Amino acid sequence: MRRMPPRLALTLAAALGVLVAPTIQANALAQPADQVENAHARALEILARHVEAIGGEKAIRSHTDITTTGRLIVPSAGLEGTITTHAKAPDKILTNVDLPGYGVSMTGYDGKTAWMVDPGVGALIMEDEQRDAFVRSSRLDAELRIEKDYPTIKYVGEDKIDDQPVDAILLVDKNGRESTHYFSKETGLRVAISTLEPTQFGDMPVRYVFSDYKDFDGLKQATKTDQHIGPQTITITIDSVTFDPIPDETLAPPETIQVLVKQQADGSDDEADDNSNGADDDDGDADDDDGDDGDDDDDDD
Amino acid sequence: MKQTRILLLFLASLASLAALSPAGTQPADPSPSSYDLTFETAWRLIRDTHFDPTYNGVDWDAVHEEFAPLAEHAGSQDEIRAIISDMLTRLGESHFALIPSEVADVLPGEDAAADVAPDEAPHPDAVVHEESPAKGAQAPDPEEEVLENESYGGGDAWLGLDVRPLDGRLLITRVEPGSPADQAGIRPGWVITYIGKRDVARRIDSFAHLDLKSASTEIVAWQILTELLSGELGSLARLSVLDADGNSRRLTLKRVPRPGEMAKFGNLPPLNSRLEWSWLDPEKYDIPSDVRVGYIRFNIFMMPASREFERAVYELRDADGLVIDIRGNLGGIGALAMGMGGRLVDKTASLGTMQMRGASLKFNLYPQYATSWGQPTHPFTGRLAIITDAISASTSEVFAGGLQAIGRAEVFGERTAGMALPAAMDRLPNGDVLLHAIADFHTSKGERLEKTGVIPDVPVPTTREDLLAGIDAPLARAAHWAATGEE
């Protein structure tokens, strides 16, 4: 098997721009045809070892409701907020990020609709690749479904992450989207992912670095994740993980998204005439054309 | 893998604010041992995150060699700040600035003028004194004694007037109804000749001779003079103004709460956020009786303005035309330009691209068909006019230039500041905050806004003559177009 030259990814990144590495790396390390099977088998071994390292299939399947709380820090903006994720098997999820001065940003998937509500950007329903990627990562058994979710899985070589020897595996999803996952040779745990992520802002090169794995009721989880995007880093730390049952209501999309879903179902974006929950007139000198004086409370705050 | 979804919004949220006003501050915690590290950290941050690997043609290593020895010998906060600020000017670009810790760390509510409702009652004792008018511009009596509680700068309370430097003078462009300035009879078009005993024309002239590579002299002059007009709540300001008839008046006014809401975001200092909206008066703006035109004006892209913008567009959504006035708007949180823009388009579009080193982020607009309070709605799809001036900067330019580039908005007024680089705000070891550009911005047409600014489709200058005649010419032209489609 052709091994990845050490530090190749970083060299290429320096030469061609940070974190375009995944695609470049895959091309550079393309396996000869007669080695593909071995590369695939080796990758599966590493993935299986990772599953065992985080607690094993039984532990993964036995936890069907997981609530995680923590902090989100953006050092380059001086921002620190809280993050809460409710996840319920098989794939429902709701994440709240509350940042002072910005408000609560939410993303979720209720088994049907993947959505986002953000105080700044507004509300949107995810589609296409963005939806696929979101739903895939929402599954509590995502670690057990990799062979189903990724038609191409292959071992691409050894590397180092923060001087830690790692095995690199290339995953290609059904849309042809590549991601490279790095697993510690020592522990078997995933320590990084590099990918070109489909987002509402276009494709973004992202590198996730996972550390400080801790055991929560038999499941190991990284309690620190650094997300590197260009020159920026976002750090998420986990303070607590609980496994109490999560009511479906908790995972329901906010009213704003329900309106959009209904509009999609109706095939129309016609607004209702009912202004009973509309906005206040607060300008002081506007001609009030409708006289409504509804509730001020925003659903997403 | 549950926590791994990237949170790009917070990158887009990075401040894109043209300039800050750190004047009049004192070191919070001078610690000379940290100065060397502070300098090195600032230099490295720019080395590692500047969007242009050539640093705008500047030899960044040579800059280090030049300034590092100076930093080693810095003996005070003022000295290290001056050294770093000098270093930043070498880049010749906007959005490189040092925000003193004393400015960055003020929390909302600490300011006496925070969170004041816009409909604050009139202030009956706001006009403290007015001397008899004298013909022509008059300097204050050199013997005039400083009043108890007379001060200039250092607070967010105001006198109720908007100003801008124009043709070497400080022109009053707007007077807040019921404010001290209004009660004193001050009107748009009047000229402020002295603030206290400071000769305003001389100051503006001195700014004009500065070699400012990273900011427009007009914005710097505007910020400093606006700061002088502001002060602590209840403090006094003496102004000499030249009225419409050429008479000089010496007034003593008491500062009152500035309408709006103080907003704090990350390492940015607290900023006053205010948004007003209305239906434009058809008679005043020559709007046909069967046509309705809405008007929204806001001073900064911060969350309070974003929330109110949503409400305003919701109320005005069925207007035939809409005028958005961002004159004097220095920018703010970049992501909010997307959210606001999403209420003005009926198809997914893009304001442009934020290009960082190694990554780019599209400022996409997603049409909004529901309100944040769960009400079905639709984006505003009528004629959209945006008014800009030379103080409109940063996120304002992204917003106006982006909507102009996709053909959604017609821009009226004056060319914007050309200070449009998305920036990060990292904390330095000495506690100060380094505002540093980490991205460039190009509209969907590939136009770079830094330096160039947004060029109006319909240039309409602000003139003293128009203001004295009670005419807001850019607004009048924009309103006419929004109502009729005719320029």
Side-chain angles (χ1 to χ4, degrees):
Chain A
M1 180 180 296
R2 185 176 165 191
R3 292 289 177 102
M4 177 182 180
R7 316 299 291 174
L8 174 61
L10 296 179
T11 305
L12 289 170
L16 300 172
V18 181
L19 301 179
V20 293
T23 303
I24 304 295
Q25 193 175 63
N27 292 337
L29 297 170
Q31 301 291 306
D34 61 351
Q35 294 183 13
V36 168
E37 192 177 338
N38 286 342
H40 181 70
R42 175 79 179 114
L44 294 182
E45 285 172 17
I46 291 166
L47 291 168
R49 186 179 174 222
H50 172 64
V51 168
E52 289 307 311
I54 61 174
E57 179 176 347
K58 189 176 174 188
I60 292 170
R61 294 202 188 283
S62 66
H63 293 93
T64 57
D65 299 75
I66 304 178
T67 297
T68 308
T69 61
R71 285 165 291 143
L72 180 142
I73 302 165
V74 190
S76 61
L79 290 170
E80 179 167 348
T82 60
I83 179 166
T84 304
T85 297
H86 302 285
K88 190 179 186 70
D91 52 13
K92 292 180 181 175
I93 194 165
L94 187 143
T95 299
N96 287 323
V97 175
D98 189 354
L99 279 180
Y102 192 73
V104 179
S105 186
M106 305 169 74
T107 52
Y109 178 65
D110 63 353
K112 295 176 184 170
T113 306
W115 53 269
M116 180 191 100
V117 175
D118 178 78
V121 175
L124 65 91
I125 292 176
M126 297 181 203
E127 295 175 340
D128 306 325
E129 265 199 85
Q130 191 190 356
R131 180 188 187 280
D132 291 348
F134 187 85
V135 172
R136 192 169 60 225
S137 72
S138 298
R139 295 193 64 98
L140 280 181
D141 61 352
E143 300 286 7
L144 306 175
R145 292 172 47 90
I146 288 182
E147 281 190 87
K148 288 182 185 171
D149 290 338
Y150 297 90
T152 300
I153 301 171
K154 63 182 176 185
Y155 179 70
V156 289
E158 296 177 347
D159 203 342
K160 282 188 175 178
I161 302 283
D162 294 336
D163 291 330
Q164 180 181 186
V166 294
D167 288 313
I169 291 177
L170 176 71
L171 304 181
V172 184
D173 71 13
K174 64 180 184 182
N175 295 309
R177 175 97 34 191
E178 298 177 347
S179 58
T180 304
H181 297 231
Y182 301 88
F183 297 87
S184 166
K185 290 180 83 69
E186 181 186 349
T187 65
L189 294 167
R190 181 188 281 108
V191 294
I193 300 174
S194 290
T195 186
L196 194 65
E197 185 124 351
T199 78
Q200 61 270 32
F201 306 114
D203 289 347
M204 293 288 294
V206 187
R207 186 180 184 92
Y208 303 98
V209 177
F210 309 101
S211 59
D212 298 349
Y213 274 88
K214 289 182 182 166
D215 188 284
F216 297 94
D217 194 32
L219 268 181
K220 271 204 176 109
Q221 177 151 356
T223 59
K224 184 180 179 201
T225 303
D226 291 314
Q227 303 182 1
H228 303 281
I229 305 108
Q232 299 297 292
T233 300
I234 297 170
T235 298
I236 295 171
T237 57
I238 292 175
D239 297 327
S240 75
V241 179
T242 58
F243 302 97
D244 300 327
I246 300 167
D248 279 346
E249 307 87 82
T250 302
L251 297 159
E255 207 170 345
T256 301
I257 295 297
Q258 293 178 30
V259 168
L260 296 179
V261 170
K262 184 173 184 306
Q263 286 171 350
Q264 278 194 345
D266 294 346
S268 158
D269 50 37
D270 294 342
E271 64 177 299
D273 291 332
D274 175 17
N275 283 349
S276 61
N277 198 22
D280 280 347
D281 279 347
D282 54 0
D283 63 323
D285 61 351
D287 296 332
D288 187 355
D289 66 324
D290 59 13
D292 82 279
D293 190 19
D295 187 354
D296 277 350
D297 294 334
D298 292 353
D299 289 334
D300 60 346
D301 282 346
Chain B
M1 293 173 71
K2 293 291 144 320
Q3 302 286 355
T4 61
R5 301 298 303 178
I6 56 174
L7 295 147
L8 292 167
L9 287 175
F10 307 118
L11 294 187
S13 299
L14 294 173
S16 190
L17 194 76
L20 295 156
S21 183
T25 58
Q26 297 298 317
D29 181 21
S31 176
S33 61
S34 74
Y35 296 163
D36 194 26
L37 184 58
T38 296
F39 171 82
E40 289 294 332
T41 305
W43 181 83
R44 278 198 209 108
L45 275 167
I46 291 164
R47 180 194 65 183
D48 296 342
T49 66
H50 195 292
F51 56 91
D52 175 6
T54 72
Y55 306 98
N56 199 27
V58 174
D59 184 340
W60 199 236
D61 289 329
V63 167
H64 183 274
E65 284 180 25
E66 179 184 349
F67 286 96
L70 301 175
E72 274 180 32
H73 295 101
S76 68
Q77 285 275 63
D78 284 343
E79 280 182 39
I80 191 65
R81 285 170 176 168
I83 290 164
I84 293 173
S85 297
D86 198 8
M87 175 179 77
L88 298 177
T89 62
R90 297 301 173 89
L91 289 163
E93 291 167 320
S94 70
H95 292 82
F96 288 93
L98 198 61
I99 308 172
S101 55
E102 311 86 277
V103 176
D105 291 341
V106 178
L107 297 171
E110 288 185 19
D111 190 311
D115 301 325
V116 174
D119 57 351
E120 186 76 15
H123 306 275
D125 59 348
V127 183
V128 177
H129 182 70
E130 178 173 2
E131 292 175 11
S132 301
K135 197 66 187 170
Q138 302 284 327
D141 180 355
E143 303 297 316
E144 184 182 81
E145 290 185 10
V146 176
L147 300 167
E148 189 181 352
N149 211 19
E150 180 182 346
S151 64
Y152 302 93
D156 196 57
W158 76 330
L159 301 169
L161 38 82
D162 291 340
V163 296
R164 62 169 294 191
L166 197 70
D167 300 330
R169 297 192 290 192
L170 189 61
L171 194 63
I172 295 168
T173 54
R174 184 172 173 275
V175 177
E176 179 80 6
S179 68
D182 185 38
Q183 291 176 54
I186 293 175
R187 293 293 170 256
W190 291 20
V191 173
I192 298 177
T193 53
Y194 286 85
I195 301 174
K197 291 184 182 176
R198 296 163 183 82
D199 185 335
V200 173
R202 246 181 64 190
R203 293 233 166 181
I204 292 174
D205 185 55
S206 67
F207 295 132
H209 291 95
L210 290 175
D211 181 21
L212 295 175
K213 294 174 181 168
S214 58
S216 80
T217 51
E218 184 159 356
I219 281 194
V220 172
W222 177 78
Q223 281 201 297
I224 291 175
L225 294 168
T226 300
E227 166 73 10
L228 289 174
L229 290 169
S230 304
E232 296 290 341
L233 185 63
S235 62
L236 301 179
R238 278 176 160 159
L239 304 180
S240 293
V241 293
L242 202 60
D243 69 15
D245 300 322
N247 295 319
S248 184
R249 302 179 182 214
R250 185 76 173 159
L251 302 160
T252 304
L253 305 177
K254 186 186 286 186
R255 294 187 180 92
V256 299
R258 187 187 297 270
E261 184 177 334
M262 294 306 285
K264 180 88 173 87
F265 181 75
N267 281 335
L268 280 177
L271 297 161
N272 175 270
S273 173
R274 185 184 187 194
L275 181 144
E276 301 160 274
W277 67 270
S278 63
W279 291 101
L280 287 179
D281 180 351
E283 267 187 40
K284 184 173 179 182
Y285 293 100
D286 195 22
I287 295 170
S289 58
D290 59 341
V291 171
R292 295 201 307 168
V293 176
Y295 174 72
I296 299 173
R297 185 173 83 102
F298 58 103
N299 68 335
I300 200 157
F301 284 79
M302 296 290 274
M303 275 316 298
S306 176
R307 283 193 294 267
E308 292 170 42
F309 187 87
E310 180 186 5
R311 293 174 190 280
V313 174
Y314 178 79
E315 293 294 335
L316 300 169
R317 65 196 182 283
D318 292 322
D320 299 281
L322 178 62
V323 178
I324 297 179
D325 188 346
I326 49 173
R327 286 176 288 183
N329 186 321
L330 286 176
I333 304 173
L336 301 187
M338 286 186 272
M340 292 179 175
R343 304 193 183 285
L344 303 169
V345 296
D346 60 0
K347 291 186 180 69
T348 302
S350 177
L351 292 175
T353 301
M354 170 176 150
Q355 184 68 50
M356 297 178 280
R357 199 188 287 187
S360 61
L361 188 150
K362 288 182 180 169
F363 272 40
N364 286 340
L365 306 178
Y366 293 95
Q368 295 296 300
Y369 286 95
T371 67
S372 61
W373 55 90
Q375 180 77 15
T377 186
H378 60 76
F380 171 75
T381 56
R383 282 182 290 272
L384 177 64
I386 297 176
I387 311 177
T388 60
D389 66 9
I391 313 293
S392 306
S394 207
T395 301
S396 289
E397 298 179 279
V398 169
F399 182 76
L403 288 169
Q404 181 191 46
I406 59 173
R408 177 64 190 98
E410 193 92 343
V411 178
F412 293 77
E414 299 170 13
R415 181 194 287 236
T416 59
M419 300 168 68
L421 299 178
M425 301 165 288
D426 280 280
R427 185 73 69 169
L428 298 176
N430 74 336
D432 290 351
V433 171
L434 180 71
L435 180 78
H436 59 109
I438 58 158
D440 202 353
F441 188 87
H442 292 82
T443 68
S444 59
K445 280 187 173 175
E447 298 157 334
R448 187 177 192 234
L449 296 177
E450 177 75 0
K451 307 283 186 200
T452 308
V454 179
I455 299 167
D457 300 292
V458 183
V460 190
T462 295
T463 67
R464 185 175 186 226
E465 292 68 31
D466 282 340
L467 291 170
L468 288 172
I471 298 168
D472 181 342
L475 175 55
R477 291 286 295 276
H480 178 71
W481 178 83
T484 65
E486 298 167 2
E487 289 181 359

